[in-house]
């Protein structure tokens, strides 16, 4: 069974893009390691195609090629925070309508390829200047949740989960800047993902 991870820097986890087999050092690598231990007799293959800085438009431009090349049985999708963040860092604004169009097209490509779809919700923790992302993030996450309810085989409401867990644990335990996860944050995302994947792996 081949699992393809598609997304931005959170998924990329500093992977070496020149090495197709490199899983990076983030939640993808952690999830892969734990899955191999859970299913030692199952031929599992993991492919990380996360690219730092990407927005939905960037992923849409390449997702069909990744799907055609890899032919995964499962796709894990985590994309969207840069659609909001780049308004402040690059001056490029993506409206909720543009996000919806891109996101739905990405999902449609994945479903057309016949893969099961697992969606991880974009998130931002209450750290530094990341509160300025909240209004835009809430709008795109409304789209993500709607699409996930309709199309996904599994959904991890990461923004909601992090908001809850950081009521009692300092956000810096899970993220370096409110977006990029620490090792503990990566382990947390990986464990939540594995819980969803286990429902569909036999």
């Amino acid at each position: 069974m081949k699992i393809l991870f598609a997304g931005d820097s959170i998924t990329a986890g500093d992977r070496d893009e020149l090495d197709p087999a490199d899983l990076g050092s983030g939640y993808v690598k952690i999830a892969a390691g734990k899955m191999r231990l859970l299913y030692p007799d199952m031929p599992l293959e993991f492919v990380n195609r996360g690219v730092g800085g990407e927005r939905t438009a960037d992923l849409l431009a390449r997702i069909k090629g990744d799907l055609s090349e890899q032919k995964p049985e499962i796709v894990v999708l985590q994309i969207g925070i840069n659609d909001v963040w780049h308004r402040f860092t690059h001056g490029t604004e993506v409206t909720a309508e543009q996000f919806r169009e891109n996101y739905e097209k990405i999902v449609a490509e994945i479903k057309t390829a016949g893969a099961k779809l697992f969606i991880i919700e974009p998130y931002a923790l209450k750290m530094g200047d990341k509160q300025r992302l909240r209004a835009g993030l809430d709008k795109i996450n409304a789209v993500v949740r709607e699409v996930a309810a309709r199309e996904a085989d599994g959904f991890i409401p990461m923004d909601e989960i992090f908001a809850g867990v950081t009521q009692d644990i300092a956000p810096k335990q899970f993220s370096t800047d409110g977006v990029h996860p620490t090792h503990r944050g990566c382990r947390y995302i990986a464990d939540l993902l594995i819980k969803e994947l286990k429902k569909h792996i036999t």
Side-chain angles (χ1 to χ4, degrees), residues 125 127-128 130 171-183:
L125 282 68
M127 294 179 68
K130 297 310 179 292
K172 66 181 180 180
Q173 294 292 317
F174 298 101
S175 177
T176 58
D177 59 3
V179 172
H180 297 98
T182 60
H183 184 69

Side-chain angles (χ1 to χ4, degrees), residues 83-151:
D83 289 63
V84 178
W85 199 353
H86 282 196
R87 172 188 170 194
F88 301 96
T89 58
H90 295 67
T92 53
E93 184 167 3
V94 178
T95 66
E97 291 74 23
Q98 289 170 323
F99 176 84
R100 174 185 291 279
E101 182 178 358
N102 292 339
Y103 201 84
E104 289 189 334
K105 285 181 178 178
I106 291 168
V107 168
E109 291 286 0
I110 294 169
K111 302 298 285 188
T112 298
K116 290 186 180 296
L117 171 63
F118 291 79
I119 290 176
I120 301 175
E121 181 182 49
Y123 63 84
L125 282 68
K126 293 180 179 179
M127 294 179 68
D129 62 356
K130 297 310 179 292
Q131 281 300 98
R132 63 183 178 171
L133 307 182
R134 179 49 52 190
L137 182 59
D138 286 345
K139 289 179 181 178
I140 71 163
N141 273 346
V143 174
V144 171
R145 288 190 293 270
E146 178 189 326
V147 174
R150 186 175 69 245
E151 302 288 353

